[in-house]
Amino acid sequence: MARDPIQRRSKEKKRKIIVAGMKLFSEKGFHKTGIVEIAEEAGVSVGSFYGYFLDKKDLLIQVSQAYGSNIIRGIYGRITEEAPLSGSSHEIVKYIVDSARQAHTLSTELHREMLALKNREPEMAKLDKSITCSFQTGVESILENCRDRIKIQDIRIASKLVTGAIEETMHSCFLEHSEEPKDRIFEELIEMCTGYLFKPTELN
Amino acid sequence: MARDPIQRRSKEKKRKIIVAGMKLFSEKGFHKTGIVEIAEEAGVSVGSFYGYFLDKKDLLIQVSQAYGSNIIRGIYGRITEEAPLSGSSHEIVKYIVDSARQAHTLSTELHREMLALKNREPEMAKLDKSITCSFQTGVESILENCRDRIKIQDIRIASKLVTGAIEETMHSCFLEHSEEPKDRIFEELIEMCTGYLFKPTELN
Amino acid sequence: MARDPIQRRSKEKKRKIIVAGMKLFSEKGFHKTGIVEIAEEAGVSVGSFYGYFLDKKDLLIQVSQAYGSNIIRGIYGRITEEAPLSGSSHEIVKYIVDSARQAHTLSTELHREMLALKNREPEMAKLDKSITCSFQTGVESILENCRDRIKIQDIRIASKLVTGAIEETMHSCFLEHSEEPKDRIFEELIEMCTGYLFKPTELN
Amino acid sequence: MARDPIQRRSKEKKRKIIVAGMKLFSEKGFHKTGIVEIAEEAGVSVGSFYGYFLDKKDLLIQVSQAYGSNIIRGIYGRITEEAPLSGSSHEIVKYIVDSARQAHTLSTELHREMLALKNREPEMAKLDKSITCSFQTGVESILENCRDRIKIQDIRIASKLVTGAIEETMHSCFLEHSEEPKDRIFEELIEMCTGYLFKPTELN
DNA sequence: CATGAATGAGAATTCATTCAT
DNA sequence: GATGAATGAATTCTCATTCAT
């Protein structure tokens, strides 16, 4: 019966467990990390663990949510507000790509693990979706805000496509270690997306 | 001591185990599938399993290899030869996207599981890479073959980008169940890639 | 991860397991005794077993140590202090032989098993050696204490020989069931040792 | 159904298996040696193994018998005939001790393993007994043959005692590696036994 | 509330023995 | 007779979860 931490001490303990989980899931993966280990890392007893979390999966979900909300709040959350809408289409797309880039620099290893589990655990999938979605929504509203310079009809689908392409490129750049220079790849990515989304600039 | 099957019967048995593994890993995931279960599904004794495979991970690798080589041989392998090079740029890209689509229709669930494990198991990652690579190489050579109609400079990087975008779209369409109509998405995908790769057609 | 029992309850549990091991190893031998059986006999879960012992071999070692220290402390340990040094040489040797006899009445079956394993398990051999050694040392110091009545030069080697002969006789009397009357054998044994160790008595 | 080898080829095969068993049991111990391994070492199929032996234990027994009869025939068997009865009592005992010494030089490791199992396997115990017995009987008849110089009354018991002491000393010298010089120990052993068995020489 | 020892179902793996070819 | 692949019971060990203190 996971209790809701009311006192400060409790909250602190729960936080410690989440941090420990984040660290260990990242380092060793979900399946290879044991509860005892997590408790030790958090400086907490096994019993306490079950005071705050239903089971190991529950911890994973909360760890991922913490990670996810970091990304969402920290980066995608502000994507709309700070977008350089007055800039060139190239600049706008570059801003979007850079945002994603920042998000993925955060904690590659944990992301890896989340990805590894989202296909089996519905909670995980939901979370992943909400992260992606928040990115997608951000892009959508940016595009909405410069609808007159936009070429494509269905902003929804276009956003999906573009964010998908960006995400994938991030993964292939950060999780696998491709030989191609990252910067060249990102440039091309921006090129592709700009060309797809925006009307050609007059004087180009 | 994994014996190497020489005789027909043995080969057949090994194949059965691989098929069983493919099925169960797809349905329940690697971690939730037990050896006994696999053996039962294959109509084989546990002892026999260990006659052909070192352990469960060994089976996973071989299952994935089987799956991978299916895709490679069956689809990406022939991508270059059968590409409609004389068709319009749109048709060419459509052909590429459709190939990917076929590959992913094959065994979505297993692919899911492979993806889930490639981040922890080096063997798995290698395999995934070789599949992706075979696709990428196919696209590269197609582009090579109509270089005069191609807009982009670096075919290598462009292929990577395009195959990445296509793969990602496939996954988001087949593994997650997006609400948007698949066909619309694929159309847009083709649009994006065509616009990026090819010079604009005269009479457009 | 064999926990070291600090609290009373834990110690009690560990003791129970050792007793169970002692019993079963004695009755059925090391190889034919399973962990589950041991746990059941001890009234403890399998998990608990692994809480206190690294594995079955670890239990064997600790069982043997317990048994060994019983013998050493209980019998050989006091051999020097209580030896009837003022008695006749025959009485002294009789005392030594009787001590050994007591030691071997204790737990013949387990001793059997220890013997059976000392040739393969270094830990076991070490233990056996330390038991024998403690006996030998005891004999040495007794002989030291009546050096003037002693015939042989090298007390060390003589002790080794004598304790060896005594041990062997014990084993052949207790482990195998010889037909000869034990008492006659022990008498002769005493005779042999006395004659070897001590100068002949004047009035004999 | 262990068949009795009639043809030469069969006999040869069986012999090979026994030799293989002897080697492997010596090297790795009974429990850690597998049937497949034995068959391979013997250059024979697993099926064939079961053509000649009922099970692994059966092989052990036969291996031990082969080993035992080697000792018996080769050494203890001839002990009586070749004893230097005309020599001094010291020479006679020395001859007995040397015989035992030879017997134990033969295959220390296998003997070790036999010892390790004789306490559990009745067949094994029987065999060990028959070896010991053959030694004991040999000693008995030697003593019988110089009864006039013998001090002790009961030759039977005295032989048992003496052979026991000799055996034990052999084991402690060959199986454990005592630091004391072997030759000194053997000299003392001879001393002890001579003193016990024989009347003191007049002119000594 | 906290603790961490206890639990025991479940998982992987081995290997003596059989038997179809 | 010979072969060696097949069998599956038996064994060891792990670890998420509970609960008495």
Side-chain angles (χ1 to χ4, degrees):
Chain A
M1 261 338 76
R3 71 189 92 109
D4 238 47
I6 310 169
Q7 278 141 17
R8 213 172 294 166
R9 297 244 306 175
S10 288
K11 249 182 185 158
E12 177 56 18
K13 237 176 203 179
K14 185 166 182 178
R15 207 190 54 79
K16 268 189 193 166
I17 297 173
I18 289 181
V19 170
M22 209 173 253
K23 185 184 169 200
L24 291 170
F25 290 162
S26 297
E27 280 174 17
K28 323 180 51 184
F30 179 71
H31 286 289
K32 289 185 183 163
T33 304
I35 300 285
V36 175
E37 213 175 346
I38 293 167
E40 269 169 7
E41 175 73 33
V44 150
S45 74
V46 176
S48 284
F49 175 90
Y50 283 91
Y52 296 106
F53 302 90
L54 288 169
D55 52 21
K56 204 167 73 163
K57 217 161 79 185
D58 188 31
L59 172 61
L60 174 65
I61 290 165
Q62 298 204 34
V63 160
S64 307
Q65 277 168 347
Y67 168 72
S69 66
N70 248 353
I71 291 191
I72 292 175
R73 268 196 315 249
I75 293 145
Y76 297 151
R78 273 177 255 143
I79 199 172
T80 316
E81 307 155 25
E82 299 172 12
L85 293 178
S86 55
S88 69
S89 50
H90 187 275
E91 277 169 338
I92 293 174
V93 176
K94 187 179 185 333
Y95 168 77
I96 294 172
V97 168
D98 281 343
S99 295
R101 199 170 178 174
Q102 273 176 65
H104 284 273
T105 318
L106 199 60
S107 173
T108 313
E109 292 298 328
L110 182 60
H111 203 120
R112 212 176 269 221
E113 197 58 24
M114 285 176 55
L115 237 62
L117 279 150
K118 81 166 183 201
N119 294 320
R120 286 293 147 203
E121 306 300 338
E123 289 287 349
M124 211 77 261
K126 223 172 82 189
L127 179 62
D128 181 74
K129 200 161 196 169
S130 89
I131 295 177
T132 310
C133 196
S134 113
F135 184 27
Q136 201 176 308
T137 312
V139 172
E140 270 178 46
S141 68
I142 290 175
L143 297 185
E144 214 71 74
N145 286 334
C146 39
R147 183 183 278 281
D148 50 334
R149 297 147 76 192
I150 286 295
K151 188 168 73 185
I152 41 84
Q153 304 295 318
D154 190 331
I155 286 185
R156 195 77 183 279
I157 287 183
S159 296
K160 192 184 178 70
L161 221 53
V162 165
T163 53
I166 293 174
E167 280 286 333
E168 174 60 26
T169 307
M170 292 305 149
H171 290 168
S172 90
C173 280
F174 287 106
L175 301 187
E176 300 144 33
H177 299 287
S178 74
E179 317 103 36
E180 335 289 340
K182 283 192 183 53
D183 287 327
R184 281 286 297 124
I185 294 175
F186 289 137
E187 248 173 66
E188 285 298 308
L189 177 63
I190 293 166
E191 192 62 38
M192 177 171 80
C193 294
T194 313
Y196 170 59
L197 294 168
F198 289 86
K199 294 174 187 162
T201 317
E202 303 290 292
L203 300 179
N204 197 13
Chain B
M1 207 106 301
R3 61 191 96 119
D4 245 279
I6 314 169
Q7 275 121 28
R8 215 170 291 164
R9 298 248 308 179
S10 293
K11 252 180 183 156
E12 177 56 18
K13 217 166 219 182
K14 184 163 187 181
R15 208 189 53 79
K16 268 190 196 166
I17 297 173
I18 289 182
V19 169
M22 212 171 248
K23 186 185 168 201
L24 291 169
F25 290 162
S26 297
E27 281 173 17
K28 320 182 51 184
F30 178 71
H31 287 289
K32 289 186 184 162
T33 304
I35 301 286
V36 176
E37 216 174 349
I38 294 168
E40 267 169 7
E41 175 72 32
V44 147
S45 73
V46 175
S48 282
F49 175 89
Y50 284 95
Y52 293 108
F53 302 91
L54 289 170
D55 52 20
K56 206 167 68 166
K57 215 162 84 186
D58 188 30
L59 173 61
L60 174 66
I61 291 166
Q62 298 204 33
V63 160
S64 307
Q65 277 167 346
Y67 168 72
S69 64
N70 249 354
I71 291 190
I72 292 176
R73 268 197 314 247
I75 293 146
Y76 296 151
R78 274 178 253 142
I79 199 172
T80 316
E81 306 155 25
E82 298 172 12
L85 294 177
S86 54
S88 69
S89 51
H90 187 275
E91 278 168 339
I92 291 174
V93 175
K94 186 177 185 334
Y95 169 77
I96 292 172
V97 169
D98 281 344
S99 295
R101 200 170 177 175
Q102 273 177 63
H104 285 272
T105 317
L106 200 60
S107 172
T108 314
E109 293 298 328
L110 181 60
H111 203 122
R112 208 178 269 220
E113 196 57 24
M114 285 177 53
L115 238 63
L117 279 152
K118 82 166 184 200
N119 294 320
R120 287 291 153 201
E121 306 300 338
E123 289 287 349
M124 213 76 263
K126 222 172 82 188
L127 181 63
D128 179 74
K129 201 162 196 171
S130 88
I131 294 177
T132 310
C133 197
S134 111
F135 183 29
Q136 200 176 308
T137 311
V139 171
E140 271 179 44
S141 65
I142 289 175
L143 298 183
E144 213 72 75
N145 286 334
C146 38
R147 186 185 274 281
D148 50 334
R149 297 146 77 191
I150 286 296
K151 189 166 74 185
I152 42 85
Q153 304 295 318
D154 190 330
I155 286 183
R156 196 77 183 278
I157 286 182
S159 296
K160 194 185 178 70
L161 220 53
V162 165
T163 53
I166 294 173
E167 280 284 333
E168 174 60 26
T169 309
M170 291 305 148
H171 289 168
S172 88
C173 281
F174 288 107
L175 303 187
E176 301 146 31
H177 299 287
S178 74
E179 316 104 34
E180 337 288 341
K182 284 190 181 54
D183 287 328
R184 280 289 297 124
I185 295 176
F186 290 138
E187 248 173 67
E188 285 298 310
L189 176 63
I190 294 168
E191 192 62 37
M192 177 171 80
C193 295
T194 311
Y196 170 58
L197 295 169
F198 288 87
K199 294 174 185 161
T201 317
E202 303 290 291
L203 302 179
N204 197 15
Chain C
M1 208 109 296
R3 62 190 95 119
D4 244 278
I6 314 170
Q7 276 121 28
R8 213 170 293 164
R9 297 249 308 181
S10 291
K11 254 182 182 155
E12 177 55 19
K13 217 168 219 181
K14 183 164 186 179
R15 208 190 54 79
K16 267 192 197 164
I17 297 173
I18 289 182
V19 170
M22 213 172 248
K23 187 186 167 199
L24 291 170
F25 290 163
S26 296
E27 280 173 17
K28 321 182 50 186
F30 178 72
H31 287 289
K32 289 187 184 162
T33 304
I35 301 286
V36 177
E37 216 175 347
I38 294 168
E40 267 169 7
E41 176 71 33
V44 147
S45 72
V46 175
S48 283
F49 175 89
Y50 284 96
Y52 293 109
F53 301 91
L54 289 170
D55 51 21
K56 205 167 68 166
K57 214 162 84 186
D58 188 32
L59 173 61
L60 174 65
I61 291 166
Q62 298 204 34
V63 159
S64 307
Q65 278 168 345
Y67 168 72
S69 65
N70 249 355
I71 291 190
I72 292 176
R73 268 196 315 246
I75 293 146
Y76 295 151
R78 273 177 253 142
I79 199 171
T80 316
E81 306 155 26
E82 297 171 12
L85 293 178
S86 55
S88 70
S89 51
H90 186 274
E91 278 169 339
I92 293 174
V93 176
K94 187 176 183 339
Y95 169 77
I96 294 172
V97 169
D98 281 344
S99 295
R101 199 170 176 175
Q102 273 176 64
H104 285 273
T105 317
L106 200 61
S107 173
T108 313
E109 293 298 328
L110 181 60
H111 203 122
R112 209 176 270 220
E113 196 58 24
M114 284 177 55
L115 239 61
L117 279 151
K118 82 167 183 199
N119 294 319
R120 289 289 153 202
E121 305 299 338
E123 289 287 350
M124 213 75 264
K126 222 172 83 189
L127 181 62
D128 179 74
K129 201 163 196 168
S130 89
I131 294 177
T132 308
C133 197
S134 113
F135 184 26
Q136 200 177 307
T137 312
V139 172
E140 271 178 45
S141 67
I142 290 174
L143 297 183
E144 214 71 74
N145 286 333
C146 37
R147 184 185 275 282
D148 50 333
R149 298 147 75 190
I150 287 294
K151 190 168 73 184
I152 42 84
Q153 305 294 318
D154 189 331
I155 286 183
R156 197 77 185 279
I157 286 182
S159 296
K160 193 185 177 70
L161 220 53
V162 166
T163 53
I166 294 173
E167 281 284 335
E168 174 60 26
T169 309
M170 292 303 150
H171 290 168
S172 89
C173 281
F174 288 107
L175 302 187
E176 300 146 34
H177 299 289
S178 75
E179 317 104 34
E180 335 289 339
K182 283 192 183 53
D183 288 326
R184 281 287 298 124
I185 295 176
F186 289 138
E187 248 172 68
E188 286 298 308
L189 177 62
I190 294 167
E191 193 62 37
M192 177 171 81
C193 295
T194 313
Y196 169 59
L197 295 169
F198 288 87
K199 293 174 187 163
T201 318
E202 303 289 293
L203 299 180
N204 197 15
Chain D
M1 263 334 78
R3 69 189 94 108
D4 238 51
I6 311 169
Q7 278 141 16
R8 214 172 292 165
R9 296 246 305 178
S10 289
K11 249 181 184 158
E12 178 55 19
K13 236 175 203 178
K14 183 165 185 180
R15 207 191 55 78
K16 268 189 193 165
I17 297 173
I18 289 182
V19 170
M22 209 172 253
K23 184 184 170 201
L24 292 170
F25 290 162
S26 297
E27 280 172 16
K28 322 180 52 185
F30 179 70
H31 287 289
K32 290 185 183 161
T33 304
I35 299 285
V36 175
E37 213 175 345
I38 294 168
E40 267 169 6
E41 175 73 32
V44 150
S45 74
V46 175
S48 284
F49 175 91
Y50 283 92
Y52 295 106
F53 302 90
L54 289 169
D55 52 22
K56 203 167 75 162
K57 216 160 79 186
D58 189 30
L59 172 62
L60 175 65
I61 291 165
Q62 298 205 33
V63 160
S64 307
Q65 277 168 347
Y67 168 71
S69 65
N70 248 355
I71 291 190
I72 292 176
R73 269 198 313 249
I75 293 144
Y76 295 152
R78 274 177 254 142
I79 197 171
T80 317
E81 305 153 27
E82 298 171 13
L85 294 178
S86 54
S88 69
S89 50
H90 186 274
E91 279 169 340
I92 292 173
V93 176
K94 187 177 185 331
Y95 168 76
I96 293 172
V97 170
D98 282 344
S99 295
R101 200 170 178 175
Q102 274 176 61
H104 284 273
T105 318
L106 200 61
S107 173
T108 313
E109 293 298 328
L110 182 60
H111 203 121
R112 212 176 267 221
E113 197 57 26
M114 285 176 54
L115 239 61
L117 280 152
K118 81 166 183 200
N119 293 320
R120 285 293 146 204
E121 306 301 339
E123 290 288 350
M124 212 76 259
K126 224 172 79 189
L127 180 62
D128 180 73
K129 202 163 196 170
S130 88
I131 295 177
T132 310
C133 198
S134 111
F135 183 27
Q136 201 175 310
T137 311
V139 172
E140 270 177 46
S141 65
I142 289 174
L143 297 183
E144 214 71 74
N145 285 334
C146 38
R147 183 184 276 282
D148 50 334
R149 297 147 77 190
I150 287 295
K151 189 167 72 183
I152 41 84
Q153 304 294 319
D154 189 332
I155 286 184
R156 196 77 185 278
I157 289 183
S159 297
K160 194 185 176 71
L161 220 55
V162 166
T163 53
I166 295 173
E167 280 285 333
E168 174 60 26
T169 309
M170 292 305 148
H171 289 169
S172 90
C173 281
F174 288 106
L175 301 188
E176 301 144 35
H177 298 287
S178 74
E179 318 103 36
E180 335 289 340
K182 283 191 184 51
D183 287 327
R184 281 287 298 124
I185 293 175
F186 289 138
E187 248 172 67
E188 286 298 309
L189 177 62
I190 293 166
E191 194 63 38
M192 178 171 81
C193 295
T194 312
Y196 170 59
L197 293 170
F198 289 86
K199 295 174 186 163
T201 316
E202 304 289 291
L203 301 180
N204 198 13

